[in-house]
Amino acid sequence: MATTLGFDVYGTLIDTQGVISTLESMIGDKASSFSQTWREKQLEYSFRRGLMQNYANFGVCTSQSLEYTCQHYAVSLTDTQKSELLASYSTLPAFDDVQGALGKLREAGFRLHAFSNGSEAAVETLLNNAGIRDYFDGVVSCDDLRSFKPNPAVYAYFLRKTKATNDSAWLISSNPFDVIGARSAGMYAAWVQRSQAAVFDPWGIEPTVRISSLVELQGELVAAR
Ligand code: LAC
């Protein structure tokens, strides 16, 4: 059976720091920390909504965390600027290693899916805008379950939707919480350490493999067979 790969989207394939240039034109040198807080709050809101079982989609988490971040940094943005920032969330760029690595994995016969908290429509738009949609057999969105990673149900749903099994499916993610979620749900998982400073949570639940670029993925998958 061909190995199925579920690629996390935001932060793994797509660089969420890509909003920084738009932010810089609005708030100058606060842009970098603003962007980081925005991303952290976006994820926190998804975790909290998942736990509370009070679902609103990932786009709502993104816009409400933008509001939070404006208040936190006492930054006042106009509605037009906020809309521009949210729009830039659908035109974020892919990381440099993505196109080449995905092309080679496809050629080698791996089945590739995007697997994201983002709604199917948002992820389709994002991947199309980044020029990488054609590498994927499909998009699996947690929105179908009205829940978020790392609910174990979403990893089981990924397997069901892609007709894969735990012994032939991998999650590929730069987000430690996602890797730990997948491992805890019984999947193999590769952690893509996108920055030297990224820390993997010391929970004793380890990634199956650690890589620093998607270029290394294929070799690791072959070695793990
Ligand atoms: C996603 C977030 C977790 O794409 O990065 O699912």
Side-chain angles (χ1 to χ4, degrees), residues 7-223:
F7 286 86
D8 171 59
V9 174
Y10 298 97
T12 301
L13 297 172
I14 297 291
D15 189 358
T16 53
Q17 297 293 305
V19 289
I20 287 183
S21 51
T22 315
L23 268 169
E24 267 168 354
S25 67
M26 297 175 185
I27 59 170
D29 57 12
K30 278 185 186 162
S32 177
S33 36
F34 186 103
S35 155
Q36 197 176 337
T37 302
W38 184 12
R39 168 70 173 160
E40 284 167 4
K41 272 285 158 186
Q42 173 202 48
L43 290 174
E44 182 194 316
Y45 285 3
S46 69
F47 301 151
R48 286 167 53 187
R49 284 190 173 277
L51 273 172
M52 289 170 66
Q53 300 179 1
N54 183 346
Y55 184 77
N57 76 26
F58 202 54
V60 172
C61 297
T62 306
S63 66
Q64 291 183 339
S65 54
L66 173 59
E67 286 295 340
Y68 171 94
T69 309
C70 287
Q71 290 185 36
H72 179 76
Y73 287 99
V75 158
S76 57
L77 297 176
T78 63
D79 287 346
T80 313
Q81 286 176 315
K82 286 178 194 161
S83 303
E84 200 182 323
L85 283 170
L86 291 170
S88 75
Y89 233 87
S90 60
T91 54
L92 291 168
F95 286 100
D96 288 345
D97 55 349
V98 171
Q99 296 242 7
L102 296 186
K104 290 201 175 113
L105 286 162
R106 251 192 104 82
E107 272 168 37
F110 289 93
R111 297 169 68 217
L112 274 51
H113 285 82
F115 174 36
S116 180
N117 275 338
S119 71
E120 189 171 337
V123 173
E124 288 279 358
T125 304
L126 184 61
L127 299 180
N128 271 309
N129 286 337
I132 56 171
R133 173 62 182 91
D134 289 348
Y135 294 108
F136 295 97
D137 296 310
V139 169
V140 179
S141 170
C142 303
D143 181 54
D144 295 353
L145 291 192
R146 297 178 61 79
S147 189
F148 294 111
K149 301 167 177 179
N151 181 342
V154 307
Y155 302 96
Y157 178 66
F158 174 81
L159 297 178
R160 251 193 343 268
K161 186 96 195 272
T162 60
K163 300 190 170 51
T165 51
N166 267 343
D167 57 4
S168 67
W170 287 67
L171 172 81
I172 317 299
S173 181
S174 66
N175 292 299
F177 79 86
D178 194 11
V179 170
I180 289 173
R183 296 291 291 136
S184 176
M187 281 176 77
Y188 297 120
W191 180 43
V192 191
Q193 185 176 6
R194 285 265 175 227
S195 97
Q196 284 283 327
V199 174
F200 197 86
D201 304 284
W203 286 20
I205 303 176
E206 295 298 320
T208 318
V209 300
R210 295 173 182 241
I211 52 180
S212 57
S213 153
L214 288 179
V215 174
E216 297 161 39
L217 181 60
Q218 194 167 341
E220 294 289 348
L221 291 171
V222 171

